[in-house]
């Protein structure tokens, strides 16, 4: 049991005798019990932040005798993640015209939204150069989710893509 003691009254300097006051005792046990009950209540009723993850469905590995489906090249948009938070992109497969953007709202998000408005059922190929950062891959996957792109794939960078980026940077 906890208690707070105070000094009682007694003689004073001026010589007057006063009646002695009895010391006050305060029992702190109920307050401590209440504090622990409140602490326990809030701990049990609080929900902790759950980690936010994005679901990515990966396709099955193709068998050697599987035939790849034909895709209209006008529906393909290729994104190449480069160094310095740059994104190189082009539309189509043959005769690509490479353009550069960044991760801002006026950058890749605007490109994705305008290209998606122009082309129905667009397929996006995401390619990361060796000098790109992991953060860039996470950011581009977030952009796919934000712009509600349904069909995209992460593929290996081809030598043609490396040459296009090299020529643009010269």
């Amino acid at each position: 049991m906890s208690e707070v003691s105070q000094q009682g009254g007694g003689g004073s300097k001026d010589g007057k005798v006063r009646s002695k006051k009895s010391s006050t005792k305060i029992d702190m046990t109920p307050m401590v019990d209440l504090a622990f009950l409140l602490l326990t209540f809030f701990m049990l009723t609080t929900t902790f932040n759950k980690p936010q993850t994005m679901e990515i469905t990966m396709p099955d590995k193709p068998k050697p005798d599987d035939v790849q489906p034909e895709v209209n090249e006008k529906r393909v948009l290729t994104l190449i993640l480069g160094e310095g938070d740059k994104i190189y992109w082009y539309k189509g497969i043959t005769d690509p015209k490479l353009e550069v953007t960044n991760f801002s709202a006026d950058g890749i998000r605007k490109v994705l939204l305008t290209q998606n408005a122009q082309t129905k059922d667009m397929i996006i190929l995401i390619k990361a150069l060796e000098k790109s950062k992991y953060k860039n891959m996470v950011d581009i996957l977030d952009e796919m989710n934000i712009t509600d792109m349904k069909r995209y794939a992460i593929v290996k960078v081809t030598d043609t893509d490396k040459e296009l980026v090299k020529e643009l940077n010269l």
Side-chain angles (χ1 to χ4, degrees), residues 130-155:
E130 293 85 15
K131 293 185 179 181
S132 65
K133 297 179 183 175
Y134 179 75
K135 176 187 174 295
N136 294 344
M137 183 61 77
V138 172
D139 289 343
I140 200 66
L141 291 176
D142 285 342
E143 289 295 332
M144 294 295 130
N145 197 20
I146 290 168
T147 56
D148 199 29
M149 296 296 159
K150 300 293 183 200
R151 298 181 71 181
Y152 57 90
I154 301 170
V155 296

Side-chain angles (χ1 to χ4, degrees), residues 49-104:
N49 288 340
K50 295 177 182 166
Q52 296 178 348
T53 58
M54 183 169 57
E55 294 293 325
I56 297 178
T57 306
M58 301 300 286
D60 293 333
K61 200 168 197 172
K63 297 174 184 150
D65 57 338
D66 285 347
V67 178
Q68 295 293 327
E70 293 292 323
V71 176
N72 185 356
E73 76 170 63
K74 293 179 182 176
R75 290 179 39 208
V76 176
L77 178 72
T78 303
L79 304 176
I80 304 170
L81 308 178
E83 64 179 320
D85 295 336
K86 290 183 182 177
I87 302 173
Y88 305 94
W89 66 275
Y90 61 88
K91 191 168 182 179
I93 298 173
T94 59
D95 194 31
K97 182 184 172 215
L98 200 63
E99 297 186 38
V100 181
T101 188
N102 56 17
F103 285 97
S104 67

